[in-house]
């Protein structure tokens, strides 16, 4: 009986014929799964004010005054409701640059510029989102959720917003992975017998996790995490984005590089206008 073919024989046969076997490539180019970015669409946008130039936007504020008791035969006392203006700096200029060399453009069957532009746009959008999230350091109140966020922590956020006289409308929160996991595990948020609606806290549209106590809560993969997950709850008018130059694509052929220099860049600023209406909810990052 003939000896069976061994693995080494099969391997040798494949190696001998490899030069005759073509490799196949898909017609499409895969892109990475990107982090969900939420902040820019949820905050106040003052970009229109910056289109004429300048590096600072000033927002005047008036201060509160109290009623006074009027005594007979006494003059009234005049108050000055002038408040302290908020200065918002337009001080960020970020770019992404990619060189598309002629050899790659000539030999490739793919539209490299279109493929790379998507990566460049995502990088800039993520930077803007990162700078908005970093405003947790200017929050008026910090709520500690410990190792897991529960209903008491969400109620503490609500109480902090109420204490700042924050309007109920346009309250929103942006939470990270593990906080989303915590909230989806709270029975009163998700169970049909508690909510009367299937999937109330698992909506998913545009990253919406659910609406709790009148606050729309969104999930983002870009919430800062180090030793602490820093979830943000805020009123729309409390945080501001000023995009003076929307992402602009520049392209130039450079002989010394024998290729196309491509750059996408943007100029913007971010800031907090109402710190008391920005609440940071901390959570230990480990699940």
């Amino acid at each position: 009986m003939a000896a069976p073919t061994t693995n080494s024989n099969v391997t040798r046969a494949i190696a001998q014929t490899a030069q005759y076997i073509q490799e196949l490539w898909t017609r499409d180019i895969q892109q990475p799964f990107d982090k969900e970015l939420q902040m820019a669409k949820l905050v106040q946008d003052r970009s229109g004010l910056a289109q004429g130039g300048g590096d600072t936007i000033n927002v005047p504020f008036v201060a509160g005054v109290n009623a006074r008791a009027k005594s007979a035969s006494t003059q009234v006392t005049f108050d000055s409701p002038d408040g302290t203006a908020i200065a918002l700096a337009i001080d960020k200029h970020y770019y992404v640059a990619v060189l598309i060399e002629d050899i790659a453009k000539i030999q490739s069957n793919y539209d490299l510029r279109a493929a790379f532009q998507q990566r460049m746009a995502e990088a800039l959008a993520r930077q803007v989102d990162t700078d908005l999230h970093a405003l947790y350091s200017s929050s008026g109140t910090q709520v500690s959720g410990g190792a897991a966020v529960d209903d008491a922590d969400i109620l503490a956020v609500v109480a902090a917003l109420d204490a700042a006289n924050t309007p109920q409308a346009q309250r929103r929160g942006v939470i990270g992975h593990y906080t989303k996991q915590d909230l989806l595990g709270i029975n009163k948020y998700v169970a049909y017998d508690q909510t009367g609606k299937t999937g109330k806290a698992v909506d998913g549209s545009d990253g919406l996790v659910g609406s709790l106590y009148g606050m729309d809560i969104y999930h983002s993969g870009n919430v800062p995490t180090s030793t602490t997950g820093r979830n943000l709850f805020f009123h729309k008018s409390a945080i501001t984005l000023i995009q003076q130059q929307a992402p602009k694509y520049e392209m130039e052929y450079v002989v010394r590089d024998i290729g196309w220099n491509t750059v996408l860049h943007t100029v913007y600023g971010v800031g907090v206008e109402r710190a008391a209406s920005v609440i940071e909810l901390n959570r230990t990052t480990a699940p």
Side-chain angles (χ1 to χ4, degrees):
M1 184 173 69
T5 301
T6 64
N7 288 340
S8 60
N9 290 336
V10 172
T11 302
R12 189 180 306 115
I14 292 175
Q16 290 172 344
T17 60
Q19 62 181 317
Y20 308 114
I21 300 174
Q22 64 178 336
E23 294 183 358
L24 304 177
W25 290 79
T26 63
R27 295 178 63 87
D28 63 306
I29 300 176
Q30 285 278 18
Q31 297 278 356
F33 289 139
D34 297 322
K35 294 179 178 180
E36 289 187 87
L37 307 177
Q38 305 291 353
M39 290 294 291
K41 70 181 182 182
L42 300 177
V43 302
Q44 180 171 227
D45 189 342
R46 294 193 184 273
S47 302
L49 295 174
Q51 302 312 304
D55 63 357
T56 303
I57 287 181
N58 294 297
V59 183
F61 262 72
V62 294
V65 293
N66 296 317
R68 298 176 183 272
K70 179 65 172 69
S71 300
S73 303
T74 61
Q75 292 185 323
V76 299
T77 299
F78 293 96
D79 292 304
S80 178
D82 292 335
T84 302
I86 302 295
L88 302 171
I90 306 170
D91 56 357
K92 301 181 185 300
H93 188 191
Y94 280 91
Y95 73 91
V96 183
V98 174
L99 170 63
I100 303 177
E101 296 191 68
D102 265 9
I103 187 170
K105 187 175 181 181
I106 293 169
Q107 295 183 346
S108 175
N109 291 324
Y110 296 98
D111 185 349
L112 296 179
R113 188 175 69 174
F116 294 162
Q117 274 184 330
Q118 187 170 339
R119 293 295 89 223
M120 297 165 76
E122 188 279 334
L124 279 190
R126 179 161 32 89
Q127 182 60 53
V128 173
D129 189 82
T130 296
D131 286 328
L132 286 167
H133 274 292
L135 295 174
Y136 71 80
S137 60
S138 298
S139 60
T141 302
Q142 291 78 40
V143 174
S144 177
V149 172
D150 58 19
D151 186 50
D153 298 320
I154 301 299
L155 288 173
V157 170
V158 172
L161 290 171
D162 288 344
N165 300 319
T166 305
Q168 185 66 48
Q170 297 186 324
R171 293 183 183 185
R172 55 275 314 261
V174 180
I175 61 174
H177 308 319
Y178 299 133
T179 300
K180 176 182 177 181
Q181 173 182 297
D182 294 338
L183 298 186
L184 295 181
I186 297 176
N187 190 62
K188 67 182 291 186
Y189 292 168
V190 297
Y192 182 82
D193 62 349
Q194 298 287 326
T195 65
K197 181 178 180 182
T198 302
K200 181 175 182 179
V202 204
D203 183 286
S205 60
D206 296 324
L208 181 68
V209 176
S211 183
L212 303 177
Y213 306 118
M215 301 182 296
D216 286 341
I217 298 177
Y218 296 80
H219 166 253
S220 172
N222 205 37
V223 171
T225 56
S226 51
T227 56
T228 302
R230 302 187 183 278
N231 308 288
L232 271 183
F233 291 79
F234 53 93
H235 189 269
K236 179 179 180 178
S237 65
I239 298 177
T240 297
L241 168 65
I242 309 161
Q243 201 155 45
Q244 191 169 50
Q245 170 64 66
K248 184 179 181 182
Y249 189 73
E250 312 277 8
M251 186 173 66
E252 177 186 27
Y253 188 83
V254 179
V255 174
R256 71 173 181 271
D257 293 328
I258 315 179
W260 291 92
N261 290 354
T262 63
V263 176
L264 188 69
H265 70 112
T266 184
V267 178
Y268 64 97
V270 300
V272 170
E273 292 191 28
R274 300 173 182 272
S277 293
V278 179
I279 314 299
E280 178 193 352
L281 173 57
N282 296 333
R283 186 207 188 278
T284 305
T285 58

